Amino acid sequence: MTQFEEVSKQSSLHPKPVGLVLQYGTAGFRTNAKHLDHVMFRMGLLATLRSKKTEATIAVMVTASHNPEEDNGVKLIDPMGEMVALTWEGYATQLANAEQDDLLTALKDVIKKEAINMSQEATVFVGKDTRSSSASLAQAVLDGVSALGGHSKDYGLVTTPQLHYMVRCQNTQGKYGEATVEGYYNKLCQAFIQLTKNASNCTDDQKHLSVDGANGIGALKVREMESHLKKELHLSLFNDGSEGKLNHQCGADFVKVQQKPPTGMKMNPGERCCSFDGDADRIIYYFTDSDGKFHLLDGDKIATLISTFLKELLKQAHLDLKIAVVQTAYANGSSTHYLENTMKVIVRCTKTGVKHLHHAAQDYDIGVYFESNGHGTVLFSGEAEEKIQQLAENASTDDETKRAALLLQNTINIINQTVGDAISDMLLIEAILAIKGMTVQQWDTIYSDLPNRQLKVKVSDRRMIDTADAERRAVSPAGLQEAIDTLVKKHRQARSFVRPSGTEDIVRVYAEAETQESADALAHEVSLTVYRLAGGVGDEPKPLQ
Ligand code: G16
């Protein structure tokens, strides 16, 4: 049987529902799990082609991250652990939407366009989150890989960033680390121990952190990692999946959007807490003060903490490296103001989606990128890493320079540079707070967020909304941006934008203003405008209580 006959035969076991059309979104395909079997099989085929083309290992992660339990999705991972190249997103859409009888034609079209040598070996790593649908969907991916004669390695239950990490390790012949979950814990935890070993200001109380695992894969992995760090970091784990539902009233997305603590978590006043999302690629910190007020430290505050730390170390090490922070339109106005005017770092704004931020961050010696929702990491250029390493190894450098260079070196080792990683980010943040002897309250006061609100509006077809200028302006439907501009003028220090979500079937609305009442009112007014101009579905949005 030829490869293509095998694909035909196997694909009939993963049939596409006639007429179903799916869009490749912010981070791959994402919808109700019952519509995804054929997509997974076909992404197995595509990953095999990508592996042949790049002559490297590729990965496929089965997850719908922050979405509800009944959804699922797929993320494709390129050789260096980054999100798949944009042109291949187009091929993914082409394959996912080809009707059953047209699948081979669509597949051959990709092979021709990319001039793929079909006799080249292919290897695909596969991982999955804890959703009940993930096991059979991961099997569909594996079926797709084997139908095209590719080799696969099934990592089973892993966080998304762990799978990204494995791919990078594999394709760099171990230079980045060992391509095992144990190797990942060893590298990160060793770096954490090295970073914090001289943090004399750190009391036992400060070594404690409460973690909301969103009832997902992150909880399992924190448990696995704990034994590596018993003395150095005391973790109390909540929402570990033993009772609650994945992402339901918990997890990073819930906490960020609702601006309140997750359910299922015991919080004492002043205690440092964090939440992961459903596949552990995002993290958010928070605490409640003695008056019961909730304080959120989101991706913007995390980026500020990390870039301040790095800037200080670069100064102490006398290293002249260009550092930039990459954000999206969701970045709180206060954070951008602080970064540009007080910290005097370069700030870039890209479209939502870590793939966009990641590429922008690659333009600098050190690129710190974070979405407000807590998805982010730090990238070091090869040259920057080399300079830091040379300095750390140079026996004649003075003490302060050497100490700073060693801290920078371990900072590089603690960071998962492939993608945002809740576990790695958590360890880095904990290390920075320990080294600086800084409390979560002190971190929170670096700048004050402008009050803000995020809302969702359901419309009949969210593609009606098109945006420009890194999603800060709506270019369609006609009149929408003008209406938003008029509403914004009614409030002080206000800003608002709308964009179609790439992971849920809704339009997102963001508003910030001088007071919470003002931000809430503006978000509601803009939601109503979207509802009216873009074909709202169901009841009109109601004002916030
Ligand atoms: C994904 C992307 C993020 C993005 C988020 C929300 O996160 O990786 O970059 O911010 O979706 O996207 P949207 O607003 O388009 O729905 P995750 O953690 O769900 O994979």
Side-chain angles (χ1 to χ4, degrees):
M1 202 184 277
T2 68
Q3 268 177 344
F4 292 123
E5 282 165 351
E6 184 62 24
V7 169
S8 256
K9 187 173 145 220
Q10 292 291 327
S11 78
S12 64
L13 303 173
H14 301 280
K16 174 185 178 291
V18 179
L20 177 70
V21 178
L22 296 172
Q23 252 191 307
Y24 194 100
T26 314
F29 295 102
R30 211 173 277 191
T31 186
N32 189 293
K34 62 179 189 255
H35 300 312
L36 283 169
D37 182 65
H38 69 291
V39 175
M40 296 295 172
F41 174 78
R42 293 165 183 211
M43 291 309 106
L45 298 176
L46 189 72
T48 310
L49 293 186
R50 182 78 181 141
S51 173
K52 287 177 188 290
K53 170 76 189 182
T54 56
E55 300 182 19
T57 296
I58 295 294
V60 181
M61 179 72 192
V62 176
T63 181
S65 189
H66 77 275
N67 290 48
E69 156 76 33
E70 53 278 15
D71 283 358
N72 218 320
V74 59
K75 296 182 176 179
L76 294 170
I77 305 167
D78 251 2
M80 289 308 280
E82 68 278 49
M83 302 277 195
V84 77
L86 286 180
T87 20
W88 284 69
E89 287 190 0
Y91 300 147
T93 310
Q94 209 174 307
L95 279 195
N97 292 324
E99 293 303 337
Q100 200 64 22
D101 292 344
D102 304 330
L103 177 59
L104 281 188
T105 314
L107 196 66
K108 286 177 184 168
D109 185 49
V110 178
I111 295 169
K112 191 166 161 229
K113 277 193 186 129
E114 290 291 326
I116 293 170
N117 170 9
M118 291 303 285
S119 57
Q120 173 69 40
E121 297 268 305
T123 306
V124 178
F125 287 176
V126 180
K128 59 172 183 278
D129 71 11
T130 53
R131 287 178 159 78
S132 54
S133 58
S134 290
S136 68
L137 292 175
Q139 187 54 52
V141 176
L142 293 164
D143 292 350
V145 177
S146 82
L148 263 184
H151 307 285
S152 56
K153 179 166 179 174
D154 184 2
Y155 275 89
L157 291 168
V158 279
T159 70
T160 297
Q162 284 178 333
L163 193 65
H164 283 253
Y165 177 90
M166 301 308 158
V167 177
R168 175 114 160 210
C169 291
Q170 183 69 17
N171 289 321
T172 52
Q173 286 75 43
K175 278 196 207 108
Y176 195 64
E178 194 191 304
T180 62
V181 176
E182 196 53 28
Y184 166 93
Y185 296 136
N186 284 338
K187 180 176 173 188
L188 269 58
C189 294
Q190 272 313 310
F192 182 81
I193 291 166
Q194 289 304 317
L195 276 172
T196 53
K197 69 178 178 197
N198 296 322
S200 48
N201 293 336
C202 192
T203 62
D204 253 15
D205 260 6
Q206 276 189 304
K207 287 184 185 165
H208 179 261
L209 174 68
S210 294
V211 182
D212 156 27
N215 291 314
I217 183 67
L220 301 188
K221 297 299 162 181
V222 163
R223 275 266 143 77
E224 251 174 41
M225 184 189 67
E226 254 184 323
S227 60
H228 294 72
L229 287 175
K230 276 234 153 72
K231 279 200 302 256
E232 291 80 8
L233 186 60
H234 311 157
L235 299 170
S236 299
L237 183 61
F238 299 90
N239 297 325
D240 64 356
S242 53
E243 284 172 28
K245 208 168 150 189
L246 177 71
N247 295 331
H248 181 64
Q249 306 220 308
C250 62
D253 201 63
F254 173 85
V255 174
K256 166 71 182 159
V257 175
Q258 302 300 325
Q259 304 184 25
K260 61 182 186 196
T263 53
M265 188 155 191
K266 191 169 157 282
M267 283 174 72
N268 294 318
E271 253 177 28
R272 201 162 69 246
C273 305
C274 69
S275 284
F276 290 10
D277 74 336
D279 63 343
D281 58 8
R282 301 193 206 169
I283 188 167
I284 291 287
Y285 271 70
Y286 45 89
F287 67 95
T288 47
D289 61 25
S290 48
D291 298 330
K293 185 169 177 255
F294 180 69
H295 295 253
L296 182 68
L297 294 97
D298 62 5
D300 304 335
K301 281 247 157 95
I302 295 173
T304 308
L305 179 76
I306 296 175
S307 45
T308 307
F309 175 69
L310 290 172
K311 249 195 119 181
E312 285 165 4
L313 289 182
L314 289 178
K315 194 167 171 219
Q316 288 161 19
H318 308 290
L319 276 170
D320 184 19
L321 295 175
K322 199 186 235 183
I323 181 165
V325 177
V326 186
Q327 307 185 309
T328 69
Y330 291 105
N332 195 279
S334 297
S335 75
T336 314
H337 187 268
Y338 179 85
L339 286 163
E340 281 178 337
N341 300 305
T342 307
M343 277 191 61
K344 308 220 178 294
V345 293
I346 304 162
V347 180
R348 285 262 300 268
C349 181
T350 71
K351 285 166 74 171
T352 299
V354 280
K355 58 192 177 198
H356 302 297
L357 289 99
H358 192 94
H359 285 134
Q362 283 171 330
D363 292 344
Y364 304 91
D365 296 321
I366 302 178
V368 180
Y369 73 82
F370 267 89
E371 294 185 300
S372 299
N373 63 24
H375 201 159
T377 187
V378 184
L379 305 185
F380 292 82
S381 70
E383 209 182 311
E385 283 198 16
E386 220 167 277
K387 281 188 181 163
I388 290 166
Q389 193 174 339
Q390 272 171 11
L391 201 58
E393 284 165 7
N394 187 345
S396 61
T397 39
D398 64 81
D399 282 356
E400 191 196 53
T401 310
K402 194 165 191 94
R403 176 186 170 274
L406 284 169
L407 285 174
L408 281 167
Q409 202 177 30
N410 282 307
T411 303
I412 293 172
N413 286 334
I414 210 170
I415 291 170
N416 182 350
Q417 292 193 49
T418 61
V419 78
D421 181 336
I423 290 180
S424 150
D425 290 339
M426 173 183 83
L427 293 177
L428 175 60
I429 293 163
E430 291 302 306
I432 295 175
L433 294 179
I435 293 165
K436 291 170 83 75
M438 191 184 222
T439 63
V440 70
Q441 289 76 13
Q442 288 166 331
W443 172 20
D444 188 41
T445 53
I446 293 183
Y447 64 83
S448 296
D449 274 325
L450 272 173
N452 58 88
R453 181 64 63 196
Q454 269 192 63
L455 295 175
K456 301 178 184 184
V457 184
K458 186 112 182 94
V459 296
S460 54
D461 182 1
R462 66 195 199 273
R463 285 171 301 179
M464 255 191 87
I465 300 215
D466 201 5
T467 63
D469 187 20
E471 302 178 323
R472 288 174 287 197
R473 295 192 67 77
V475 289
S476 77
L480 176 58
Q481 188 57 50
E482 292 70 20
I484 294 175
D485 291 341
T486 309
L487 292 170
V488 165
K489 281 193 197 121
K490 287 169 40 190
H491 301 269
R492 290 161 68 105
Q493 277 190 277
R495 184 169 72 89
S496 179
F497 68 90
V498 303
R499 54 175 286 277
S501 162
T503 61
E504 297 173 60
D505 189 13
I506 44 117
V507 176
R508 296 198 195 278
V509 172
Y510 176 86
E512 67 183 30
E514 193 179 40
T515 63
Q516 192 61 56
E517 293 68 33
S518 209
D520 287 353
L522 178 58
H524 171 249
E525 288 153 8
V526 173
S527 299
L528 259 185
T529 308
V530 170
Y531 180 90
R532 288 173 186 161
L533 293 183
V537 170
D539 294 339
E540 270 199 354
K542 302 238 165 8
L544 283 113
Q545 296 301 318

